[in-house]
Amino acid sequence: MLRKSFVLGAALSLNLAPAAAADLNAGQELYSAECAQCHGRTGRGTAVFPRIAGKTEDFVTERLKQYRAGETVGPNSALMTAAVNELTDADIENLAAFITTNFP
Amino acid sequence: MKRNAALWALCAAMSSTSAYALLAGAASADTPTLSYETVLTDLEDPWDMAFLPDGTMFFTEKCRGLSVRLPSGDVTALLGMAGTEGYATTADDLFCEGQAGMNGVAIDPDFDSNRFVYVYSTSSLTEPGSNRVIRLAVNDDLSGVSDRTDIVEDIPYKPEASDHPFGGPGAHNGGRIRFSPGDGYLHVTTGDIHGGHVPQSPTLLGGKVLRIDRDGNAAADNAPPEGFDPRIFTYGHRNVQGIAFRPGDHNPVISEHGPWHTDEINVLFNGANSGWDPRPNMAGRGDCPDDYCGYSPNQMEGMDPEERAAWMPMTDYETYPDAMVPAWENNNLSQGISGIAYLAGDQWGDWDGKLAVGYMGIGFGGTPPGQRIDVMDIAEDGQSATATEFPLPMESGRFRSLVMGPDGSLYAAIDEGDIYRITPN
């Protein structure tokens, strides 16, 4: 029983670790510099650029990694790949945390 | 992490022959300080505005329709598109897709007597969809519209996706409409719809500026080449989303989006070619994706804009030696140039009579997004210009439309959903 509690506690700590590590300020800086001019100040989308408000952190993370890998996901893939191809995993984590925290 | 503008972009900017004052302070001392007020907010892609002398403002939202804001501040929804609610009238054939939808709006010069307003909108009435210029009669209390007459029905619309950046349906849709205060004709700006053969086509109305009367008939003195549709005033354009008329002689001036390079401001002349020809197997080029070379030779990655321009020029002087010479090429950059308006009135100081130019901003391949408003001084011959960055009193945004209001202020619509009034003090 004691062992099970320890394992559960460790797992919870591991699950919480990424969110705790995300730097929302860094995510905000990235969003303002690289994302806001197309997706809008509040992520609601503009013109031909889709809404990203209301997405889950997993969704945002997966999409950013797909674009970074050069995958085609929609007609603006060239723009997205060019915008994110130098992002690190930490950058993506920070961006996803900022977007989902501030644009629920 | 990419957050730097590539060195070549800076070099290109610095080596350009067009002068550019990066700081407002570098401009003349006789320029106003600016304040702003948010006139409307939380709109859905506001696209254009048009004013009556008393301040009544008609405005469009790309996927919703036409509304009017009264001087009291009350807003009435007049003509809704398919799927909308709350409008006095709904037209189920009007739809939006990508860049297409309800775009420009203009008021008839004789509105007092005929009550006509006009919108440019995408319609499903003819396959595979087209852009139309629609004339409407507004009732006396500005609560509704009637007597719809489609005065132009055949401006091309892009119905299917293609293998290009921004390659979705509805791309390069043009859409600005303005009456000239000089000759009274309605000028209509269109886009090439990612169709390689469209801009130089004598019969297709994409990639053109049309000049027509209120019934849609060609202006009698339009002078396109023989065999062209007589409604065509100029041709060989890429995607024109701004038009204004020069103070004094009322010569039309346009803005058009560049292809990963070279946004342009052009002072038009009757019958002229703007020199955009993205057909494959032209000017030394081979085949291109989906028969459109507009982003080639490297359409999905960043590239030195000058090198790109040499391969696929915005104005191809070699093929078309008589093509119009642009007044402004945005230092070889493409940053989403859009609405333009001449500032008018003593309150603007040295900017009175200068052209305000809005940019929506596109950050791609090392080009800085460049969301801003420039104030541009265009030379008398229309072949060069200097630009000063407008010291915005509010946060920047995607400047879709700029319109002078009857109160002497500049009104700016941004895609984020706001319409601002920018007032010189």
Side-chain angles (χ1 to χ4, degrees):
Chain A
M1 185 65 193
L2 181 63
R3 182 180 175 80
K4 281 184 179 175
S5 298
F6 171 78
V7 170
L8 179 59
L12 283 171
S13 298
L14 285 173
N15 284 338
L16 289 172
D23 183 338
L24 293 178
N25 289 332
Q28 181 175 23
E29 183 184 338
L30 268 175
Y31 187 83
S32 297
E34 302 292 337
C35 313
Q37 63 264 25
C38 295
H39 293 287
R41 300 164 187 162
T42 58
R44 59 182 263 179
T46 66
V48 297
F49 306 109
R51 178 182 185 87
I52 54 176
K55 306 296 186 189
T56 67
E57 196 162 335
D58 284 348
F59 177 91
V60 175
T61 300
E62 182 185 353
R63 278 286 184 275
L64 289 173
K65 289 185 175 178
Q66 285 178 295
Y67 288 126
R68 187 177 63 178
E71 293 181 31
T72 297
V73 188
N76 296 333
S77 297
L79 281 171
M80 283 303 301
T81 294
V84 306
N85 63 7
E86 294 178 36
L87 292 184
T88 65
D89 284 351
D91 289 331
I92 289 176
E93 185 180 329
N94 294 337
L95 256 181
F98 171 77
I99 290 168
T100 52
T101 301
N102 290 278
F103 313 140
Chain B
M1 173 50 222
K2 179 183 76 64
R3 68 188 80 182
N4 59 312
L7 185 60
W8 51 253
L10 179 61
C11 292
M14 294 179 70
S15 64
S16 168
T17 53
S18 296
Y20 192 81
L22 290 173
L23 299 173
S28 163
D30 186 17
T31 56
T33 58
L34 304 173
S35 59
Y36 83 101
E37 177 185 354
T38 302
V39 177
L40 290 171
T41 191
D42 209 25
L43 302 176
E44 195 172 310
D45 285 315
W47 215 94
D48 204 9
M49 302 85 79
F51 288 90
L52 293 174
D54 68 354
T56 296
M57 180 180 77
F58 293 91
F59 64 95
T60 56
E61 295 171 271
K62 187 186 71 176
C63 292
R64 291 189 54 75
L66 173 69
S67 299
V68 62
R69 179 186 183 274
L70 305 177
S72 65
D74 293 340
V75 172
T76 301
L78 296 173
L79 177 66
M81 304 168 71
T84 61
E85 295 179 352
Y87 283 80
T89 304
T90 302
D92 289 338
D93 65 300
L94 305 183
F95 70 97
C96 73
E97 178 70 51
Q99 299 169 31
M102 190 172 287
N103 299 144
V105 58
I107 298 173
D108 195 288
D110 293 330
F111 179 85
D112 283 349
S113 57
N114 63 27
R115 310 291 295 179
F116 288 158
V117 297
Y118 304 75
V119 294
Y120 179 111
S121 183
T122 315
S123 163
S124 61
L125 283 178
T126 48
E127 292 292 337
S130 70
N131 289 295
R132 293 173 172 237
V133 180
I134 298 169
R135 190 181 72 202
L136 304 158
V138 185
N139 64 10
D140 286 343
D141 64 0
L142 299 167
S143 63
V145 293
S146 60
D147 299 334
R148 171 178 166 176
T149 304
D150 295 8
I151 65 170
V152 183
E153 301 178 343
D154 53 347
I155 299 169
Y157 158 76
K158 182 185 179 187
E160 296 178 359
S162 60
D163 180 17
H164 303 108
F166 304 106
H172 288 194
N173 203 60
R176 201 70 66 188
I177 56 176
R178 293 285 184 272
F179 278 96
S180 165
D183 59 30
Y185 284 117
L186 182 63
H187 291 61
V188 180
T189 76
T190 72
D192 71 12
I193 64 164
H194 283 167
H197 61 297
V198 173
Q200 298 292 328
S201 166
T203 54
L204 297 173
L205 298 185
K208 310 293 192 301
V209 175
L210 314 179
R211 181 167 166 258
I212 56 177
D213 67 16
R214 63 169 56 91
D215 296 317
N217 302 307
D221 61 343
N222 283 351
E226 188 174 348
F228 273 55
D229 189 303
R231 294 171 292 181
I232 294 171
F233 183 66
T234 55
Y235 63 105
H237 297 290
R238 185 173 179 273
N239 189 19
V240 184
Q241 290 204 337
I243 185 165
F245 300 90
R246 186 164 60 186
D249 65 2
H250 306 304
N251 202 103
V253 177
I254 59 144
S255 62
E256 57 180 312
H257 295 279
W260 288 163
H261 66 83
T262 321
D263 289 327
E264 284 188 356
I265 295 286
N266 281 288
V267 178
L268 302 184
F269 59 93
N270 196 351
N273 186 353
S274 195
W276 173 246
D277 188 356
R279 282 177 290 182
N281 302 303
M282 283 287 300
R285 296 181 295 273
D287 292 335
C288 295
D290 288 337
D291 293 330
Y292 181 80
C293 297
Y295 300 95
S296 294
N298 185 9
Q299 65 175 14
M300 296 300 184
E301 294 178 20
M303 182 178 176
D304 181 340
E306 289 196 37
E307 191 180 341
R308 195 188 288 277
W311 202 87
M312 181 63 248
M314 185 69 172
T315 302
D316 182 353
Y317 298 108
E318 283 195 27
T319 307
Y320 306 107
D322 294 331
M324 286 182 286
V325 177
W328 172 252
E329 295 179 294
N330 194 21
N331 302 308
N332 291 322
L333 301 181
S334 170
Q335 295 175 308
I337 198 168
S338 189
I340 61 177
Y342 275 97
L343 302 173
D346 293 341
Q347 71 277 15
W348 291 99
D350 285 350
W351 289 341
D352 179 19
K354 303 297 189 294
L355 187 69
V357 179
Y359 297 81
M360 295 184 290
I362 299 176
F364 176 78
T367 296
Q371 290 179 329
R372 67 186 188 276
I373 297 173
D374 279 347
V375 180
M376 202 165 289
D377 188 3
I378 300 175
E380 185 80 20
D381 66 2
Q383 298 193 359
S384 64
T386 57
T388 301
E389 189 168 335
F390 208 57
L392 291 174
M394 71 288 184
E395 187 179 355
S396 191
R398 291 177 54 80
F399 290 105
R400 177 69 65 175
S401 179
L402 299 179
V403 178
M404 275 299 297
D407 57 355
S409 296
L410 178 69
Y411 288 73
I414 62 172
D415 283 348
E416 287 85 344
D418 297 330
I419 297 178
Y420 298 123
R421 174 167 48 228
I422 303 172
T423 302
N425 302 299

